[in-house]
Amino acid sequence: MSERSPLLTYRLSSLSAEEEPQSQNGSKHTGKSRKLSTFLGVVVPTLLSMFSVVLFLRIGFVVGQSGLYETVGILILSYFIISMTVLSVCAISTNGALDAGGAYYMISRALGPEFGGSIGIMFFFANVCGSALYILGLVEAIVDMFGFSPDHAVKNGLHVLPITYWYEFLYGTVLLFICLVVCLVGASIYAKATFIIFIVVMVVLISVFISFFAVKETVVPLTFSQGNITVSINGTFTGFKLATLKNNLYPDYSVDYTTGRMMSFTIVFAVMFNGCTGIMAGSNMSGDLKNPSFSIPRGTITAVIFTYIIYNLLSLMVCCTCERNLLKYNYGFLRDINIWHPFVTIGVYCSTLSASMSNLIGASRILYALAKDELFGKLLMPAKKTSRGGNPWVSVIMSWFLVQLVLFAGKLNTIAAIVTIFFLLVYAAVGLACLALEWASAPNFRPTFRYFTWYTCILGILGCLVMIFLIQPIYASASVVFMLLLLLCLHYLSPNQSWGFISQALIFHQVRKYLLMLDVRKDHVKFWRPQILLMVSNPHNHKSLITFANDLKKSGLFVLGHVDLDELDVLPSDPLQTQTDAWLQLVDELNIKAFVNLTLSDSVRHGVQQLLFISGLGGMRPNTVVLGFYSQSAPQDLQKNEQELNTEGSFVFSSGGRRPSTTNFSPWEYVAIISDTIKMSKNVVLARYFSEFDKSSVCNFRGKETYIDVWPLNLLRPDSTAYVDTSSLFLLQMASVLNMVRTWKKAKLRLFLCVEENSGLQGQEVKLKQLLKDLRIKASISTVAWDTVVALHWHKQVTVDSEEAEEGYLNFPNNSLRVSEEYLEAVNQMILMQNPMSPPAVRFLYLPRPPADTTVYRRFLHQLETVTRNLGPTLLIHGVTAVTSTEL
């Protein structure tokens, strides 16, 4: 299936359970079919994950430390953050078919593999740590009920389990192994188990609310350790009393009796927020849901609203009925005040065990999705293995192993902050993904869930980011740095994926906006920069010219132009579409910042005209055209491929099945292209001998000077004395631009001034120095006496007619001047003989305007060839626009 068939891809990826994909032999993969409904697949696991430890073991801790007012504030802030995230999850999940991976799948397909992969790893670790957190909470509940301190020699009653660090680690390992067995069986058994647990938890919760009304005032003896001291106090369940409510309204932070740490608002918030992190439990099961786009929004919102109501009601009743000592020093107080004590114990065990399983299976599904996407290469390859029923058992085992390592933390409150930070980062990323899709204004972003806007996304993102730094700045900073490192690694190491990149949509949106703001009527010479259209022939043979032009652009527009000789009328389809990817790969390979413009034409001249008309957009259009120098020969490598090269680095074109012929592109047409370019008010640069150019010699010179030679005089018009016309100033500007590039910064500009003795032109040097000073161009000026050279021109002057033009003379526009072959050869030798011991890396020469008489185009080109013969990398430049300024 083609990756350019999004509708087909969507339909295949959104097959329902009734339309299961079949294998090649026709048998259905029934084990991999989506089975879970909204209630079993989303509502139940989300509710159990959000209740879990906090509901039965930490609601008293939160209220006792923070008081009712702050508890309500914590709940409002927590649920505000997750509600903004839930809106984003609902929007993304209803915008197309979902696969396994939950939040990772949503983020990676929205923001691209780098961001999605890094957040996916963070979400994986969040679920791993969350699973460990719930196991530690369950261990805490078990040892609170059945444990005895090693100091007590006699075991009494139910207290039969030793309480030491390693024993508690052993209990956690056994409980985690139970979770592993259930998750290895598969999602179907997990869903059935969680439904039974859900029923149990609901019954326990009802008993808790009944107990507040049914149980009379009760005194609960409390014993706990503070350092090496054992403290015994009483806590009282008073029933509904106004005095009890008043005493519990305000915060009273003290030392936590399990960790010995002083509590604060941020620590209590981190613990409480763990009761809200289960919102992704349903999303994690996206690969197992019958209809994830339908189930995830409805199931998640239902669970969030229900848990918010329960938490607020429970906090209010606790504040009205329980003294502060009972809340702060007995995390299992709900058991002690229940109408039947084992009820709460069963509820704690079931909810925490279910939440741990939910996080473990969620972590395994994320790891499986990461492995399938191959973002980390062979590192996660084993995690792709599944059972016959489609259960990723290797991912489950790898996740279980990491949870086992986290159990070494020992206490729930120790890792609560880390878990919260990880989940908050994931929630911020989900909000960012939805925000990016909304801001990109992509037509295909049409979620059926519409109860969100861009500002709900921003509020959710800001809430998450603010809270992670309030909770624990060090952990938050380390987590962000870790995520950024993952992002960078994935950017450089991960394979290309065809998911679509939201960054491209955002860039398009912004570029379009700013292009409209780029008004060509406000252009000013002070801010001029070269915007280059380089006509490229065989790019692989002329990479040096492409990279040199990239240096010459000075942060301006750079377009690679290419002409294919053919007629669309006789072709079945546009051949340029298949070539574009290869050209873009070349741009990536050369590490240049360039666009590619290809065109199809019946002649090279018409093709160049097309590119000159259409290249660029708005205020970003090429102002300078670079052409390779004309050559009669065609390289053999092009002949083998039935391609033709008529210029050096310029205008290679597919001959469309026609045999290569040097008559397809004539010297006359080449000069006509130069003339057309100037008529269209574009500057012209002719590049010769750049096949000999070696950029490494410029970059890596040691102890050897690199020079850029500039000849600003029109050498084909020896009677001309102008050193400061538009074209010569453009020449100076281009040389200066090249000298400003980092690679060329250490190169030295050498300006050559041609003078005749006793001609009064010696004063030109002083004027030229002042000009360079005004233009802030640093260059040395060398005076070249060319009396003997120019004499060859004056001695050969005759009237030019058409016959003489064919014999070797050039007719200039005024039909009165000509230059001889001897003069041109002398000019060539004069240039070669300047500083022969330190030849320049590149030469800049003045390019005169082509003659008005088109019959002498061939002679014009011949003279350019003679002047530049054997000069090495040389640029012939003609400027038509003012590009220099002496103003601020």
Side-chain angles (χ1 to χ4, degrees):
M1 181 184 66
S2 171
E3 290 179 352
R4 297 175 184 260
S5 308
L7 293 178
L8 183 60
T9 303
Y10 174 87
R11 291 301 306 152
L12 287 177
S13 61
S14 58
L15 288 170
S16 65
E18 291 77 12
E19 300 176 309
E20 295 168 0
Q22 295 185 356
S23 63
Q24 292 179 351
N25 59 13
S27 62
K28 294 182 177 180
H29 297 284
T30 54
K32 294 186 179 180
S33 61
R34 301 169 184 263
K35 301 177 181 179
L36 302 182
S37 64
T38 302
F39 185 72
L40 288 179
V42 181
V43 176
V44 170
T46 304
L47 279 175
L48 292 177
S49 294
M50 296 184 74
F51 280 154
S52 63
V53 175
V54 175
L55 180 67
F56 296 115
L57 291 181
R58 286 298 183 269
I59 194 69
F61 162 79
V62 173
V63 174
Q65 296 285 349
S66 298
L68 180 61
Y69 290 154
E70 282 197 7
T71 299
V72 173
I74 288 173
L75 286 170
I76 291 173
L77 180 59
S78 300
Y79 274 83
F80 173 78
I81 292 173
I82 68 166
S83 295
M84 298 300 102
T85 304
V86 166
L87 294 180
S88 298
V89 170
C90 294
I92 297 176
S93 64
T94 59
N95 189 51
L98 285 180
D99 205 345
Y104 158 70
Y105 188 87
M106 299 178 195
I107 296 169
S108 62
R109 269 50 177 184
L111 299 182
E114 297 99 335
F115 208 99
S118 57
I119 288 296
I121 288 293
M122 298 294 290
F123 196 29
F124 169 70
F125 284 134
N127 278 274
V128 165
C129 294
S131 180
L133 179 139
Y134 296 129
I135 289 292
L136 292 174
L138 181 54
V139 170
E140 185 179 292
I142 291 173
V143 298
D144 188 47
M145 171 67 79
F146 301 106
F148 72 93
S149 173
D151 301 336
H152 298 81
V154 180
K155 302 187 286 290
N156 52 43
L158 297 175
H159 297 276
V160 295
L161 298 177
I163 304 177
T164 66
Y165 172 82
W166 289 109
Y167 270 110
E168 290 183 14
F169 178 77
L170 176 63
Y171 307 150
T173 300
V174 173
L175 293 170
L176 182 59
F177 183 76
I178 296 172
C179 296
L180 172 65
V181 171
V182 174
C183 293
L184 282 175
V185 174
S188 179
I189 298 299
Y190 161 76
K192 293 175 182 177
T194 53
F195 178 69
I196 295 172
I197 292 173
F198 171 75
I199 298 297
V200 172
V201 170
M202 288 300 103
V203 171
V204 172
L205 189 59
I206 292 171
S207 76
V208 168
F209 281 106
I210 292 174
S211 298
F212 286 119
F213 296 93
V215 176
K216 297 180 180 179
E217 182 172 330
T218 304
V219 176
V220 180
L222 307 173
T223 302
F224 57 92
S225 299
Q226 285 189 342
N228 296 323
I229 303 173
T230 300
V231 179
S232 296
I233 58 175
N234 290 328
T236 306
F237 172 79
T238 64
F240 287 95
K241 286 187 178 180
L242 183 61
T244 304
L245 174 63
K246 289 182 178 179
N247 290 334
N248 289 330
L249 289 178
Y250 299 99
D252 182 22
Y253 294 109
S254 59
V255 175
D256 174 32
Y257 78 96
T258 62
T259 63
R261 293 174 57 194
M262 184 66 186
M263 295 295 99
S264 64
F265 173 82
T266 55
I267 296 176
V268 174
F269 174 85
V271 173
M272 181 65 219
F273 192 80
N274 280 290
C276 308
T277 55
I279 60 170
M280 292 294 188
S283 302
N284 291 343
M285 302 300 294
S286 58
D288 300 292
L289 297 172
K290 288 180 181 178
N291 189 350
S293 295
F294 176 87
S295 300
I296 290 175
R298 289 162 178 79
T300 305
I301 291 175
T302 300
V304 167
I305 294 174
F306 183 77
T307 55
Y308 179 72
I309 294 172
I310 294 299
Y311 275 130
N312 276 279
L313 284 176
L314 195 57
S315 299
L316 178 62
M317 291 189 174
V318 165
C319 280
C320 292
T321 59
C322 301
E323 285 187 348
R324 207 142 208 158
N325 283 343
L326 180 64
L327 301 177
K328 293 170 68 173
Y329 301 111
N330 183 9
Y331 292 161
F333 77 99
L334 288 177
R335 180 189 66 244
D336 296 325
I337 65 171
N338 199 269
I339 51 176
W340 188 51
H341 293 181
F343 254 148
V344 174
T345 302
I346 294 170
V348 170
Y349 295 171
C350 289
S351 62
T352 50
L353 196 63
S354 171
S356 181
M357 282 192 294
S358 175
N359 279 267
L360 179 59
I361 200 168
S364 68
R365 293 315 189 257
I366 296 167
L367 185 61
Y368 174 62
L370 285 166
K372 279 206 309 180
D373 289 338
E374 298 182 349
L375 296 184
F376 295 88
K378 296 182 179 179
L379 182 63
L380 298 179
M381 286 294 286
K384 294 172 65 174
K385 295 182 179 180
T386 60
S387 64
R388 291 183 179 180
N391 187 34
W393 62 273
V394 177
S395 295
V396 173
I397 292 176
M398 293 173 69
S399 303
W400 163 79
F401 177 74
L402 290 176
V403 175
Q404 186 69 54
L405 294 180
V406 178
L407 289 181
F408 282 104
K411 291 294 181 181
L412 182 152
N413 286 5
T414 305
I415 62 173
I418 299 174
V419 175
T420 303
I421 288 170
F422 279 0
F423 274 110
L424 282 170
L425 278 174
V426 174
Y427 296 166
V430 172
L432 180 62
C434 190
L435 176 66
L437 289 168
E438 178 72 5
W439 275 357
S441 301
N444 282 320
F445 182 57
R446 298 189 297 270
T448 55
F449 181 87
R450 296 301 304 168
Y451 301 101
F452 79 100
T453 59
W454 63 268
Y455 54 82
T456 61
C457 301
I458 288 181
L459 289 173
I461 294 169
L462 291 177
C464 292
L465 295 180
V466 168
M467 290 314 303
I468 63 172
F469 285 99
L470 285 178
I471 291 169
Q472 181 54 264
I474 296 177
Y475 289 169
S477 302
S479 300
V480 171
V481 169
F482 177 62
M483 185 182 73
L484 293 176
L485 289 175
L486 282 173
L487 192 149
L488 289 174
C489 291
L490 286 169
H491 178 73
Y492 289 106
L493 300 179
S494 68
N496 291 327
Q497 301 289 352
S498 58
W499 303 336
F501 293 81
I502 191 63
S503 58
Q504 295 299 301
L506 290 171
I507 290 169
F508 175 87
H509 187 268
Q510 293 302 108
V511 166
R512 182 192 63 85
K513 181 171 71 175
Y514 287 116
L515 270 176
L516 291 171
M517 296 171 63
L518 191 60
D519 192 344
V520 294
R521 295 168 296 182
K522 297 179 181 179
D523 282 349
H524 194 280
V525 67
K526 290 188 297 185
F527 308 112
W528 180 91
R529 66 182 72 240
Q531 305 201 80
I532 294 173
L533 169 62
L534 172 63
M535 297 306 304
V536 182
S537 61
N538 180 8
H540 295 284
N541 284 353
H542 298 282
K543 294 178 181 178
S544 56
L545 177 57
I546 297 174
T547 54
F548 179 82
N550 186 63
D551 288 343
L552 203 59
K553 73 179 188 302
K554 183 57 181 174
S555 302
L557 179 67
F558 184 24
V559 180
L560 301 180
H562 176 77
V563 179
D564 246 13
L565 280 189
D566 224 321
E567 295 182 11
L568 194 58
D569 292 343
V570 298
L571 296 173
S573 62
D574 181 7
L576 301 180
Q577 294 180 2
T578 58
Q579 297 180 25
T580 302
D581 287 346
W583 282 82
L584 293 176
Q585 288 175 9
L586 175 71
V587 169
D588 294 337
E589 176 191 337
L590 297 179
N591 193 26
I592 60 175
K593 298 176 181 178
F595 298 97
V596 174
N597 258 8
L598 311 180
T599 189
L600 198 66
S601 179
D602 59 349
S603 72
V604 176
R605 183 184 183 188
H606 291 162
V608 175
Q609 288 175 356
Q610 292 171 17
L611 291 175
L612 286 172
F613 280 122
I614 67 173
S615 292
L617 194 63
M620 291 191 68
R621 292 186 178 276
N623 56 31
T624 303
V625 177
V626 180
L627 309 175
F629 202 79
Y630 186 87
S631 173
Q632 292 286 350
S633 61
Q636 293 181 356
D637 64 323
L638 295 182
Q639 291 176 349
K640 291 177 182 178
N641 292 295
E642 293 195 348
Q643 290 178 315
E644 182 175 3
L645 179 65
N646 275 337
T647 59
E648 182 183 313
S650 181
F651 308 126
V652 70
F653 46 85
S654 171
S655 55
R658 294 170 287 178
R659 300 299 300 174
S661 171
T662 56
T663 61
N664 282 347
F665 185 49
S666 66
W668 185 93
E669 189 177 6
Y670 179 76
V671 179
I673 291 170
I674 299 173
S675 181
D676 292 343
T677 304
I678 295 174
K679 288 177 184 177
M680 297 173 71
S681 299
K682 309 291 185 185
N683 309 298
V684 180
V685 178
L686 306 183
R688 191 174 191 192
Y689 292 122
F690 272 84
S691 58
E692 303 174 6
F693 178 71
D694 183 12
K695 187 175 180 179
S696 61
S697 63
V698 178
C699 302
N700 301 322
F701 65 86
R702 295 179 181 177
K704 181 182 178 182
E705 298 287 356
T706 299
Y707 296 100
I708 302 172
D709 284 1
V710 181
W711 295 78
L713 183 66
N714 184 355
L715 296 174
L716 295 189
R717 289 287 300 275
D719 57 318
S720 173
T721 60
Y723 278 90
V724 288
D725 65 4
T726 300
S727 196
S728 60
L729 288 176
F730 181 79
L731 192 77
L732 282 171
Q733 180 78 332
M734 295 300 285
S736 177
V737 165
L738 182 64
N739 199 205
M740 295 168 71
V741 177
R742 183 175 61 180
T743 307
W744 294 84
K745 273 190 179 294
K746 294 184 180 180
K748 295 183 177 179
L749 281 179
R750 297 190 302 200
L751 198 62
F752 291 92
L753 184 64
C754 298
V755 298
E756 297 179 61
E757 292 183 7
N758 304 319
S759 63
L761 291 178
Q762 287 83 352
Q764 290 281 7
E765 183 176 357
V766 177
K767 294 180 181 178
L768 200 54
K769 285 182 178 179
Q770 184 60 41
L771 175 65
L772 293 175
K773 182 178 179 182
D774 292 341
L775 296 177
R776 290 89 61 202
I777 296 176
K778 186 178 180 180
S780 62
I781 299 177
S782 299
T783 303
V784 180
W786 71 327
D787 297 70
T788 56
V789 175
V790 79
L792 293 173
H793 163 68
W794 295 117
H795 293 162
K796 295 282 185 178
Q797 271 197 28
V798 296
T799 304
V800 178
D801 56 29
S802 60
E803 292 182 358
E804 290 172 323
E806 289 298 326
E807 292 172 1
Y809 297 101
L810 174 64
N811 185 17
F812 281 90
N814 59 9
N815 291 325
S816 63
L817 295 176
R818 54 130 191 247
V819 288
S820 65
E821 191 74 17
E822 292 86 348
Y823 165 77
L824 295 171
E825 291 175 354
V827 169
N828 175 257
Q829 289 300 311
M830 177 185 69
I831 296 173
L832 279 173
M833 293 307 295
Q834 301 304 315
N835 303 305
M837 301 304 295
S838 55
V842 63
R843 288 182 172 91
F844 286 70
L845 271 60
Y846 189 111
L847 172 67
R849 189 185 185 103
D853 186 357
T854 60
T855 61
V856 294
Y857 276 1
R858 189 180 295 272
R859 286 298 124 211
F860 175 76
L861 183 58
H862 170 71
Q863 299 222 351
L864 295 180
E865 189 279 330
T866 303
V867 169
T868 58
R869 189 177 298 155
N870 300 323
L871 290 185
T874 302
L875 298 179
L876 287 161
I877 298 179
H878 183 87
V880 296
T881 55
V883 296
T884 57
S885 173
T886 58
E887 300 177 10
L888 287 176

